[in-house]
Amino acid sequence: WPCGEPGITNSSSFPSRPLLFSPQPIPLSPPFASSLIPNPNPYPYPNSNPNPNSNPQAVANAVRTSLGPRGMDKLMQMPDGEVLISNDGATILSKMNVLHPAAKMLVELSQSQDIEAGDGTTTVVVVAGALLEACSTLLSKGIHPTAIASSFMRAAGLATGILEDMSRPLDLNDRDSLISAVNTCLSSKVVSQNSDLLAPIAVDSVLGLLGDDRSAAVNVDLRDIRMVEQMGGTIDDTELVSGLVFSKGSTKSAGGPSQVPNGKVALIQ
């Protein structure tokens, strides 16, 4: 480093390193001089901090690019080395280790949306992130948080009324309309190319739980539908079985039966 007078050292600044002496100050080139200035904003774009624990907007931005039919899939590596590819918002957020309290609320919001509606998990997170960003702008203007919260409650009531006016009743006996709705949900998933096969299976499996009086059904427990995975085959081999499916097959090598017509199952406790 240059010094004004030769032979003068500054031991308080550099106690353990020798200093360079020069009778004349050495001019610093512009690139080197600019590199000494600390960058006040290490992230050039707003809310582009890659740490998901920093703010809720970072969590919303993490799933924003996976929204819609043209959304990109996310490749995630689990702590045990397993690789998961998905563009579902609830799945992506459930695998993230989020510590920020408001960001945790976004994760719980996506899980609630997944349980209640089964779709729109990415949309609710993106919308909530945009609302939180708007809150930051209002808070910076000095508006009290109570006024912001009460305004959001009024806006939610107005939005609910508009959606109810736009909605139309759904006939559970109209199978074609249900299949069309499921096809729309699958359009942004990895299995969108197989929606013609999976959509009827999904609709028939849910309708099979409603019973004979479908008009009186209010909700359905999806835990009554079991998905059994088998090694080998493709997605085209997926089928719906109205009954019980045991993961362990019959032992054909020992002469066991592979098919029992009108069989009975005894549940012994």
Side-chain angles (χ1 to χ4, degrees):
W1 295 90
C3 298
E5 297 180 2
I8 300 177
T9 61
N10 188 357
S11 59
S12 60
S13 300
F14 303 91
S16 60
R17 294 187 180 184
L19 298 180
L20 300 179
F21 303 100
S22 174
Q24 298 295 331
I26 301 176
L28 299 178
S29 59
F32 183 71
S34 61
S35 63
L36 298 178
I37 302 176
N39 186 6
N41 184 17
Y43 304 103
Y45 302 101
N47 299 330
S48 62
N49 191 337
N51 186 7
N53 298 324
S54 59
N55 50 28
Q57 285 82 4
V59 177
N61 292 335
V63 297
R64 186 189 302 272
T65 54
S66 63
L67 178 64
R70 297 182 179 274
M72 296 178 290
D73 298 338
K74 304 296 183 182
L75 189 146
M76 297 165 286
Q77 185 176 7
M78 303 296 103
D80 56 354
E82 180 185 0
V83 177
L84 178 64
I85 300 177
S86 176
N87 65 348
D88 181 64
T91 303
I92 297 173
L93 294 178
S94 63
K95 303 301 181 181
M96 295 174 60
N97 186 15
V98 179
L99 301 179
H100 196 280
K104 282 185 176 180
M105 294 182 63
L106 294 183
V107 177
E108 296 174 356
L109 177 64
S110 65
Q111 294 175 353
S112 301
Q113 178 71 12
D114 189 22
I115 295 173
E116 185 66 25
D119 192 35
T121 55
T122 306
T123 303
V124 295
V125 174
V126 173
V127 172
L131 294 177
L132 289 176
E133 187 176 358
C135 288
S136 301
T137 305
L138 297 176
L139 290 174
S140 62
K141 295 180 179 180
I143 302 177
H144 198 273
T146 305
I148 299 175
S150 60
S151 300
F152 274 163
M153 295 298 295
R154 293 179 56 189
L158 294 176
T160 303
I162 294 175
L163 292 177
E164 290 178 351
D165 295 338
M166 296 172 56
S167 63
R168 59 180 181 179
L170 179 63
D171 186 9
L172 295 178
N173 295 319
D174 189 0
R175 183 171 177 270
D176 295 335
S177 298
L178 297 177
I179 293 177
S180 177
V182 175
N183 281 326
T184 304
C185 297
L186 294 178
S187 61
S188 60
K189 307 301 180 185
V190 181
V191 293
S192 58
Q193 298 179 354
N194 305 94
S195 59
D196 295 338
L197 171 66
L198 299 179
I201 292 178
V203 171
D204 294 338
S205 61
V206 174
L207 293 179
L209 301 178
L210 300 181
D212 298 333
D213 189 7
R214 298 177 179 176
S215 59
V218 179
N219 205 342
V220 62
D221 191 358
L222 297 179
R223 292 176 296 182
D224 294 336
I225 302 176
R226 182 185 179 189
M227 297 180 58
V228 180
E229 300 178 357
Q230 296 292 337
M231 294 295 295
T234 60
I235 300 181
D236 297 332
D237 298 329
T238 305
E239 60 177 336
L240 175 64
V241 178
S242 301
L244 294 176
V245 177
F246 296 97
S247 57
K248 182 174 178 58
S250 60
T251 307
K252 298 181 181 179
S253 60
S258 59
Q259 184 175 3
V260 179
N262 299 326
K264 296 181 180 180
V265 179
L267 300 179
I268 303 174
Q269 184 176 0

